[in-house]
Amino acid sequence: MTAGVDYLRAYETPRFAQLAPNLTAACFSLMKLMPARFMVDRAEASGRLEREGHIIETTSGTFGLAIALLAAVRGYGLTLVTASSLVDLKLKRRLEHLGAKVVAIDDPQGDGNQRGRLQYLQKTLQDNPDTYWPRQYDSPENRLAYARLADLVVRSLGRVDCLVGCVGTGGSLCGTGGFLREIFPDLRIIAVDTHRSMLFGQPVGRRMLRGLGNSVLPDNVRHEMIDDIHWVGALPAYAMAHGLFRDQGLFMGPTSGAAALVAAWFARKNPEASTLVIMPDEGHRHSDTAYNPEWLANLKDWPISIPGEPTSLERIRPAGETAWTRFPWNRQTLGSVLAEFDGSLREDR
């Protein structure tokens, strides 16, 4: 068991790649192993997860794979709850090979049906109260797990002036950013979301880009830490991911492409600033989609060139999958930002 856990730990350790003189990427094989292991370790230590017990979690992908690997190594049962619109058959087979039960909840709106997934999970917990739920969206252990990443960053890079990362649960960006800001109080934190995600005030809707964004609001998203928010559509993210592979040999997923797009822009605009971007996913899961020319050829407006800069917004509004937009958040709470618009977002639904 110990050898297996040590082996898995290598997957959660990033390699640092220099994308520009002032831009470094923390490139992960499977970033979500970092919070998954941290949470399971503490559940074991506190007795919340008993020997040969059962784990349940809602997931859209990589956290599910991380927890499935840990469950297999440590001998736990596992149920993963996802949405029908998110089912990746190749990933599903991998999860089931590891012993996980995958439950896909109907998703007629195509927004991930997070509420339906949580309802199923809560009913399961009521019927099986000894089941352990990591609660990746709301447990502070998700954010605390990224102390290790912050430590690796400081030891490897020294000073960091700007941190860029995608937001889904809020754990990686707000966790890493929180620890780094203790050392560098002036650290700028830039969040990357996608259109029709509710995390920063957009109306919820169908989203093409997965691995970031959400249709519920996790407690781990700390809006008051964020300086700027960027919304990146699927097509710019795909184009940037292709560029990373073609120009720098980094075979990363679209989520990493979205983060790199924003970070590269900031680094160009601020050549004196040391910028770090978190790139959480490799491209292997996307070989049939974002890296498949036949699949891409069926997308409206594809191909596109990598855009050079975002469209700055005066008020929050959704856009299409070719768009990249930016809004100055200025470390405000979500409520205070939305109050400025006095309900005008409802007009964009």
Side-chain angles (χ1 to χ4, degrees):
M1 179 183 296
T2 302
V5 173
D6 288 343
Y7 175 71
L8 292 179
R9 190 178 180 90
Y11 286 95
E12 68 181 68
T13 302
R15 63 187 178 103
F16 293 102
Q18 200 75 33
L19 303 185
N22 64 328
L23 175 59
T24 304
C27 304
F28 285 88
S29 296
L30 185 57
M31 184 186 73
K32 290 298 183 74
L33 262 170
M34 190 174 286
R37 183 182 53 78
F38 187 91
M39 296 158 95
V40 168
D41 284 351
R42 274 142 191 78
E44 291 174 343
S46 65
R48 288 172 287 157
L49 178 56
E50 299 179 353
R51 185 178 179 85
E52 298 182 352
H54 199 93
I55 304 171
I56 188 169
E57 184 59 288
T58 173
T59 177
S60 61
T62 54
F63 188 85
L65 179 58
I67 206 81
L69 288 166
L70 284 168
V73 167
R74 302 191 186 189
Y76 297 118
L78 175 64
T79 300
L80 296 172
V81 187
T82 187
S84 58
S85 64
L86 304 177
V87 173
D88 176 332
L89 293 179
K90 287 186 176 180
L91 177 61
K92 182 173 182 288
R93 284 195 292 269
R94 292 171 69 187
L95 295 171
E96 291 174 340
H97 185 77
L98 290 167
K101 175 185 177 182
V102 181
V103 178
I105 304 299
D106 287 342
D107 184 19
Q109 301 301 318
D111 61 4
N113 195 7
Q114 190 62 264
R115 297 185 188 281
R117 289 150 63 184
L118 289 171
Q119 288 172 359
Y120 178 92
L121 189 149
Q122 292 287 0
K123 177 64 167 58
T124 302
L125 290 172
Q126 290 174 7
D127 296 339
N128 304 274
D130 292 334
T131 299
Y132 167 61
W133 176 25
R135 296 175 60 242
Q136 61 163 324
Y137 293 162
D138 301 324
S139 171
E141 291 177 349
N142 185 349
R143 285 181 288 110
L144 293 174
Y146 289 94
R148 179 168 179 253
L149 176 55
D151 180 67
L152 289 170
V153 167
V154 174
R155 290 176 184 273
S156 300
L157 306 180
R159 191 190 89 251
V160 177
D161 299 309
C162 179
L163 175 67
V164 181
C166 293
V167 183
T169 67
S172 61
L173 183 66
C174 297
T176 308
F179 286 111
L180 288 178
R181 202 171 262 169
E182 290 292 320
I183 305 170
F184 310 114
D186 296 329
L187 177 76
R188 190 171 192 87
I189 299 178
I190 299 178
V192 183
D193 196 359
T194 192
H195 308 294
R196 299 287 176 179
S197 159
M198 74 173 298
L199 292 178
F200 289 86
Q202 287 199 17
V204 174
R206 187 178 296 272
R207 300 188 297 278
M208 182 182 295
L209 192 57
R210 296 296 180 178
L212 72 169
N214 218 314
S215 54
V216 297
L217 188 59
D219 288 346
N220 279 318
V221 178
R222 299 302 175 95
H223 297 86
E224 67 278 6
M225 295 177 62
I226 305 302
D227 292 286
D228 293 281
I229 170 66
H230 290 243
W231 292 276
V232 178
L235 272 60
Y238 296 164
M240 187 64 183
H242 291 183
L244 288 170
F245 189 35
R246 180 184 61 247
D247 299 334
Q248 294 173 297
L250 296 173
F251 187 55
M252 308 303 292
T255 303
S256 294
L261 178 70
V262 174
W265 169 80
F266 181 86
R268 289 194 302 271
K269 294 289 186 180
N270 300 273
E272 77 292 345
S274 173
T275 301
L276 172 71
V277 57
I278 301 173
M279 301 210 303
D281 61 332
E282 292 186 322
H284 304 290
R285 280 185 58 207
H286 310 279
S287 58
D288 290 339
T289 53
Y291 284 99
N292 179 356
E294 294 180 0
W295 185 86
L296 289 168
N298 292 318
L299 298 182
K300 184 178 182 294
D301 297 318
W302 183 265
I304 68 168
S305 300
I306 299 173
E309 60 181 354
T311 299
S312 294
L313 301 179
E314 294 184 357
R315 70 182 184 94
I316 297 170
R317 55 181 173 81
E321 295 293 351
T322 62
W324 168 21
T325 57
R326 168 183 175 265
F327 182 79
W329 198 263
N330 297 326
R331 304 191 188 184
Q332 299 182 75
T333 65
L334 179 62
S336 64
V337 172
L338 297 186
E340 295 177 11
F341 300 112
D342 193 27
S344 63
L345 286 176
R346 288 192 291 270
E347 299 171 5
D348 293 318
R349 290 184 182 273

